[in-house]
Amino acid sequence: LFSNRAMCHLKIAETKGSSTNNSNDVQQSLKDCIEDCNSALDRLDLVGSDSSSSNNNNLRGKVLYRRAKALVTTSQTNVHSTDDDKEANLNAAAKDLLQLLSF
């Protein structure tokens, strides 16, 4: 559920991103996407070995990719963030992508 909702928030951000009037809406959608990804990953950690390892890894990969994409987009679109904030978002996205590559 959280994974699907995160994808919806990401799509909303991409759609609204083409209009410059919706900057706050885009940032809120990206923030919601990141929060839903975090919740999905927390739930996947709780499930652990209770479910199929392959299905769990597939879903984890999708969620990590969505969170990384939202973090990178946040760094690119948030004009009010400092360079340190942008660097932190990019570093977090890089960690997600490295974890994804380790599957």
Side-chain angles (χ1 to χ4, degrees):
L1 179 65
F2 286 107
S3 173
N4 291 339
R5 194 168 70 175
M7 184 64 191
C8 292
H9 288 304
L10 193 56
K11 286 293 183 185
I12 289 169
E14 290 173 354
T15 303
K16 290 182 178 182
S18 60
S19 172
T20 57
N21 297 336
N22 296 320
S23 179
N24 289 336
D25 292 341
V26 169
Q27 290 302 316
Q28 185 60 47
S29 291
L30 292 170
K31 180 182 174 214
D32 292 341
C33 175
I34 293 166
E35 289 174 1
D36 281 347
C37 287
N38 290 339
S39 295
L41 290 169
D42 288 344
R43 301 299 185 286
L44 285 171
D45 288 341
L46 289 176
V47 171
S49 61
D50 291 345
S51 68
S52 170
S53 178
S54 177
N55 290 338
N56 201 358
N57 283 343
N58 287 340
L59 184 56
R60 183 178 302 282
K62 290 178 185 179
V63 172
L64 288 169
Y65 174 78
R66 291 171 185 163
R67 185 170 70 178
K69 189 170 182 180
L71 287 165
V72 168
T73 305
T74 298
S75 294
Q76 293 172 344
T77 60
N78 192 354
V79 295
H80 301 293
S81 66
T82 66
D83 286 341
D84 289 340
D85 292 337
K86 291 179 181 179
E87 182 180 355
N89 283 341
L90 291 175
N91 284 338
K95 287 178 185 176
D96 283 350
L97 293 174
L98 286 173
Q99 187 176 358
L100 182 60
L101 289 173
S102 70
F103 281 26

